[in-house]
């Protein structure tokens, strides 16, 4: 079971990337609904798509056992948690924070699996 946990963490990165891509594209489709919110929606969409790209990269390379990738993943997850808390907070934000906390906790608990010995 423990040997499957690093792969589970990798799949969590992929799942989070897909969710962020869906939210980013959803925000783009809402551009034009209210002209005063277009800039904000497009800005959030670009940020979500950039975060999705970073999550995808972490998922692809996290098992490479490189310290730079491990610490980039820890930093990305930490930023996601902190920045989500300081935004308007709702149910989707809570679920996103919990998902990021789960991944961060697993990364820290399994750091020997992801870092060279």
């Amino acid at each position: 079971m423990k040997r499957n946990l690093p792969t589970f963490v990798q799949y969590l990165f992929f799942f989070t990337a897909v969710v962020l891509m869906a939210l980013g594209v959803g925000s783009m489709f809402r551009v034009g609904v209210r002209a005063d919110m277009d800039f904000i929606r497009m800005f959030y969409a670009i940020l979500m798509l950039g975060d999705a790209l970073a999550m995808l990269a972490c998922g692809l390379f996290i098992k490479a056992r490189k310290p730079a990738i491990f610490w980039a993943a820890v930093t990305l997850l930490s930023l996601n948690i902190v920045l989500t808390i300081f935004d308007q907070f709702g149910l989707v934000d809570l679920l996103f924070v919990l998902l990021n906390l789960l991944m961060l906790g697993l990364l820290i608990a399994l750091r020997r699996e992801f870092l060279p010995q």
Side-chain angles (χ1 to χ4, degrees):
M1 176 76 174
K2 187 168 178 148
R3 288 189 340 204
N4 293 333
L5 284 175
T7 302
F8 178 67
V9 172
Q10 186 178 30
Y11 287 144
L12 282 176
F13 274 107
F14 295 147
F15 173 75
T16 306
V18 169
V19 169
L20 284 166
M21 281 186 246
L23 291 172
V25 169
S27 288
M28 285 183 176
F29 279 123
R30 294 186 64 201
V31 170
V33 174
R34 282 183 46 198
D36 61 327
M37 296 294 290
D38 282 353
F39 175 76
I40 292 171
R41 285 196 179 115
M42 190 55 83
F43 182 71
Y44 278 160
I46 291 168
L47 288 177
M48 281 188 252
L49 292 173
D51 196 11
L53 185 64
M55 286 283 186
L56 182 63
C58 286
L60 288 172
F61 300 114
I62 192 68
K63 291 170 82 175
R65 300 179 67 86
K66 304 231 185 252
I69 295 168
F70 175 82
W71 291 112
V74 168
T75 302
L76 178 66
L77 292 169
S78 300
L79 281 172
N80 278 346
I81 293 165
V82 170
L83 294 175
T84 303
I85 290 172
F86 288 111
D87 189 19
Q88 293 176 339
F89 201 79
L91 180 61
V92 173
D93 300 307
L94 176 63
L95 294 174
F96 186 68
V97 166
L98 291 175
L99 178 62
N100 280 280
L101 278 171
L102 172 68
M103 291 189 323
L104 183 61
L106 286 172
L107 271 182
I108 299 300
L110 300 170
R111 66 186 168 274
R112 288 191 175 104
E113 302 287 329
F114 296 113
L115 291 171
Q117 300 296 323

